[in-house]
Amino acid sequence: MSKNFRIAIVGIGLVGRRHADAIRALRHVDLVAVVDPSDEGRAYAVEHGVACYETLEEMFANQTPDGAVLATPTTLHVEQGLKCVRRGCPVLVEKPIAVEATAALELVQAAEKANVPLMVGHHRRHNPLIRSAKEAIVDGKIGDVRAVHANCWFYKPDEYFDAAPWRKKPGAGPISVNLVHDVDLLRYLAGEVMTVQAQSAASQRGYDNEDVAGALLTFESGAIGTISVSDSIVAPWSWEMTSQEYPIYPSTTESSYMVGGSHGSLSVPDLRLWSYQREQRDWWTPISSTALKKGAADPLVNQLRHFVEVARCEAEPIVSGWEGFRTLQVIEAIQNSCRTGETVRIRNLQETQEQRLQVMKNIRYFVKNLAKCPK
């Protein structure tokens, strides 16, 4: 690379600092600015010798980085993302992409129209464990995917909520805060979700949101998915405690996802592939497992490296704005089904948008070539 890629981080809290650590792990990539109005943000910028600005407007008045990472509260993602898009600055926005899918759609379409790269920080897709699982499924090692299950159970202590009272409010329960990661991976491994049926239970601690929920998903492929989440269950079955992805969580030897196929099944993240040793498939035949090859790499570092490639138009995004939008659609459907008790069907707005764009291209082509047509 002839020159270093310059990144600004907007919001230098816990997640923003993890992104900063990932930047420092990469060669030819520099953190050049922090956008954060807090005293902690200014202190961090001084400590690391980078410029600190209170707002994006102030930063863009002084410099335009090669890319920006939005690690701010979800309510600010669309507003800040649009400001970056208007300045032609590629964006990596933390998950979820927005509070509501309609707002996310505004950002996705604006970035698409302006031809500005937009990625969403579903970093688990960049974990080598998930890449191995995806490859095994695509290669047909378990046959046709017929069912998937994700478990997301853990116990958040009371001080977690007391430190940030907004976590006790509606919309800040484990469906939106935690399940968005798991839904994204189920979509990645099993395809698009068509319908959702879900139920939730009110917080036993007396908060204004749920503390347990479950959902039944139907996929376009015909597969069925089940997913369960709680931040008030003592258990070892969650991605955080099974993947060894983030050292602050104690690790277990369990798995949190199961993918069932017509010729075998796969547990994730331990990557145990279960199948029969002979061609005959029946439940009286002994079944055995083999361990798929595991890689080890920090998914946040992988994600930042990929962001640089996408911003430089050297690669297509693994988690595009559309991908973030589709995952948020499923989360919204789960929330709506919990509230109404009804089955929610998910509209594929991306296909509608792509069809509209193709129609416009066809019209422009027709108009451009009309004069060339024989009279």
Side-chain angles (χ1 to χ4, degrees), residues 7-9 12 20 23-24 30-35 41-53 63:
I7 294 181
I9 295 180
I12 198 70
I23 291 172
R24 283 191 289 273
D30 294 330
L31 175 63
V32 297
V34 165
V35 179
R42 284 187 288 271
Y44 184 92
V46 170
E47 179 184 354
H48 292 86
V50 298
C52 185
Y53 306 99
Q63 62 171 302

Side-chain angles (χ1 to χ4, degrees), residues 27 44 51 68 77 278 304 307 310 358 362:
R27 296 180 59 195
Y44 184 92
H77 287 177
R278 60 187 190 186
L304 254 298
F307 176 55
V310 170
Q358 187 59 51
N362 292 341

Side-chain angles (χ1 to χ4, degrees), residues 339-357:
R339 187 178 66 254
T340 65
E342 299 177 354
T343 298
V344 178
R345 178 170 292 275
I346 297 172
R347 295 174 58 205
N348 193 336
L349 294 182
Q350 182 178 0
E351 285 186 0
T352 303
Q353 172 74 354
E354 289 173 346
Q355 291 168 0
R356 186 185 70 82
L357 290 173

Side-chain angles (χ1 to χ4, degrees), residues 12-40:
I12 198 70
L14 178 63
V15 176
R17 292 175 189 232
R18 291 191 68 197
H19 282 293
D21 292 340
I23 291 172
R24 283 191 289 273
L26 293 171
R27 296 180 59 195
H28 307 297
V29 181
D30 294 330
L31 175 63
V32 297
V34 165
V35 179
D36 195 313
S38 68
D39 292 339
E40 293 81 3

Side-chain angles (χ1 to χ4, degrees), residues 148-167:
V148 292
H149 175 70
N151 221 71
C152 184
W153 292 352
F154 39 73
Y155 197 94
K156 294 178 180 176
D158 292 344
E159 52 264 30
Y160 169 87
F161 301 96
D162 294 336
W166 62 267
R167 292 169 175 163

Side-chain angles (χ1 to χ4, degrees), residues 139-285:
D139 291 345
K141 291 184 177 179
I142 65 171
D144 296 329
V145 175
R146 302 295 295 127
V148 292
H149 175 70
N151 221 71
C152 184
W153 292 352
F154 39 73
Y155 197 94
K156 294 178 180 176
D158 292 344
E159 52 264 30
Y160 169 87
F161 301 96
D162 294 336
W166 62 267
R167 292 169 175 163
K168 304 177 182 181
K169 300 301 181 182
I175 292 177
S176 58
V177 173
N178 302 105
L179 201 61
V180 65
H181 274 305
D182 304 281
V183 165
D184 186 71
L185 287 189
L186 289 191
R187 286 187 53 246
Y188 187 56
L189 297 176
E192 296 300 345
V193 177
M194 292 179 59
T195 64
V196 170
Q197 295 172 276
Q199 292 188 4
S200 63
S203 166
Q204 286 192 336
R205 305 189 218 199
Y207 302 153
D208 297 329
N209 49 40
E210 79 284 350
D211 69 2
V212 63
L216 176 67
L217 315 175
T218 61
F219 292 83
E220 288 182 354
S221 65
I224 298 295
T226 52
I227 191 166
S228 179
V229 63
S230 176
D231 59 12
S232 296
I233 290 178
V234 176
W237 304 294
S238 66
W239 180 262
E240 288 81 359
M241 297 181 69
T242 60
S243 66
Q244 301 180 29
E245 184 179 273
Y246 193 13
I248 67 171
Y249 297 105
S251 63
T252 70
T253 57
E254 302 294 314
S255 273
S256 51
Y257 303 146
M258 290 183 290
V259 185
S262 56
H263 283 75
S265 292
L266 181 65
S267 53
V268 182
D270 69 355
L271 296 183
R272 304 295 298 185
L273 178 63
W274 292 86
S275 61
Y276 295 117
Q277 292 298 314
R278 60 187 190 186
E279 190 64 27
Q280 182 178 357
R281 292 170 288 163
D282 66 66
W283 61 0
W284 292 288
T285 298

Side-chain angles (χ1 to χ4, degrees), residues 5-178:
F5 189 88
R6 301 168 301 118
I7 294 181
I9 295 180
V10 187
I12 198 70
L14 178 63
V15 176
R17 292 175 189 232
R18 291 191 68 197
H19 282 293
D21 292 340
I23 291 172
R24 283 191 289 273
L26 293 171
R27 296 180 59 195
H28 307 297
V29 181
D30 294 330
L31 175 63
V32 297
V34 165
V35 179
D36 195 313
S38 68
D39 292 339
E40 293 81 3
R42 284 187 288 271
Y44 184 92
V46 170
E47 179 184 354
H48 292 86
V50 298
C52 185
Y53 306 99
E54 291 197 3
T55 65
L56 273 169
E57 291 86 352
E58 184 184 358
M59 182 191 75
F60 283 127
N62 288 274
Q63 62 171 302
T64 301
D66 299 316
V69 175
L70 302 185
T72 46
T74 307
T75 52
L76 301 176
H77 287 177
V78 172
E79 174 190 347
Q80 293 175 335
L82 289 171
K83 289 177 181 178
C84 291
V85 167
R86 294 185 191 114
R87 295 301 296 255
C89 181
V91 186
L92 168 59
V93 56
E94 261 301 330
K95 64 80 193 171
I97 185 174
V99 175
E100 299 176 345
T102 52
L105 187 61
E106 179 185 2
L107 175 57
V108 171
Q109 291 179 330
E112 193 171 69
K113 183 177 180 180
N115 199 28
V116 174
L118 171 65
M119 278 178 51
V120 183
H122 287 289
H123 68 275
R124 293 182 187 176
R125 290 204 199 185
H126 298 269
N127 192 311
L129 297 171
I130 294 301
R131 291 182 183 176
S132 294
K134 178 71 171 180
E135 288 173 2
I137 294 170
V138 171
D139 291 345
K141 291 184 177 179
I142 65 171
D144 296 329
V145 175
R146 302 295 295 127
V148 292
H149 175 70
N151 221 71
C152 184
W153 292 352
F154 39 73
Y155 197 94
K156 294 178 180 176
D158 292 344
E159 52 264 30
Y160 169 87
F161 301 96
D162 294 336
W166 62 267
R167 292 169 175 163
K168 304 177 182 181
K169 300 301 181 182
I175 292 177
S176 58
V177 173
N178 302 105

